[in-house]
Amino acid sequence: MAASGEIAIRPMTKTEVGIAVDWAEREGWNPGLSDGECYYAVDPQAFFAVLLDGRLVGSFSIVVYSDEFAFGGFYILKPGYRGQGVGLAIQECADRLAESYNFGIDGVFEMQDRYRAHGFLFSHRNIRYEGLGGGSRPPGLTDAAGVPFDALVRYDARHFPAERPAFLRHWLAQPGATALAVLEDGEVRGYGQVRPCRRGAKIGPLFADTPEIAERIYCGLAAAVPGQPLFLDVPEPNGAGILLAERHGMVPVFGTARMYTKEIPDLPLDECYGVTSFETG
């Protein structure tokens, strides 16, 4: 059934971004408490409002990281407006806005065929695990604030399709978040962050050269949120990451398909133990 009314798409206001984050919570995505403010500070033009006869009914975002790479998220349509062609209008608009980039998404499993029809290539699945925070912080960890920022940016860029200094500057400074790194001979060998969410806390990213370093960072981040529900989104090809989650009693609760429009980036997924977020890559 086609939507009856005029569909319009425009950039979101900051207040509307907060509404989209609330919608994400209702969808069960459990966004971070400061996610909306962080994303908006990085790129106020990244979020789009979908209106039907002037009523806000949907949202999507396109965060542009470089001349070559962008990532999409917050693809949400209010339940009463689904199946009426509004979702197709969102997808077609996103396709046009992102056509010059290698455009990445984390799509829910049941939407994979639709995304393939729009030219997306399947890379891998990400599995969300839930556990419980606690334990003690291991030795050998450094607060990320004490690590030269340029070094963190370079290390992050080894595990992400683009350098993202502006994003990391805001992401790592979120209120209530804990970011930890492992340094060896002055070089970054791994880092991760845990941030407060609508429910519990979520680790993201978690990048590490070895399983032992990932374990150390995970334990330090878990120790920062004792007794809280704890979430970690693990790329499924990283078998050591799956074992890490299971070893700490975490269970799978959700998942996405990581897809790209032009090419699948050559990333060391065996060093990616936790993606940053399903909304920003």
Side-chain angles (χ1 to χ4, degrees), residues 166-242:
F167 174 82
L168 289 179
R169 198 174 297 280
H170 289 279
W171 190 255
L172 297 176
Q174 288 187 64
T178 297
L180 302 172
V182 169
L183 298 176
E184 292 181 358
D185 299 323
E187 297 291 330
V188 178
R189 300 301 184 191
Y191 92 99
Q193 174 170 278
V194 63
R195 71 191 193 281
C197 293
R198 299 293 177 95
R199 176 171 175 261
K202 194 180 298 178
I203 293 174
L206 175 50
F207 302 144
D209 287 2
T210 67
E212 184 278 328
I213 292 173
E215 172 84 15
R216 208 186 322 165
I217 295 171
Y218 173 90
C219 290
L221 297 175
V225 290
Q228 295 187 42
L230 182 61
F231 300 89
L232 176 67
D233 301 330
V234 185
E236 192 174 42
N238 187 340
I242 300 295

Side-chain angles (χ1 to χ4, degrees), residues 46-107:
F47 290 82
F48 296 88
V50 182
L51 302 105
L52 183 62
D53 288 334
R55 299 186 304 274
L56 182 64
V57 300
S59 65
F60 67 97
S61 64
I62 299 174
V63 177
V64 176
Y65 289 104
S66 71
D67 292 341
E68 291 80 32
F69 185 72
F71 200 90
F74 284 99
Y75 181 6
I76 305 172
L77 189 59
K78 292 179 70 174
Y81 299 91
R82 296 171 183 175
Q84 302 178 38
V86 183
L88 179 60
I90 295 174
Q91 187 64 60
E92 290 177 344
C93 181
D95 289 347
R96 289 194 303 273
L97 291 170
E99 64 181 352
S100 64
Y101 304 101
N102 188 20
F103 185 45
I105 60 168
D106 275 315

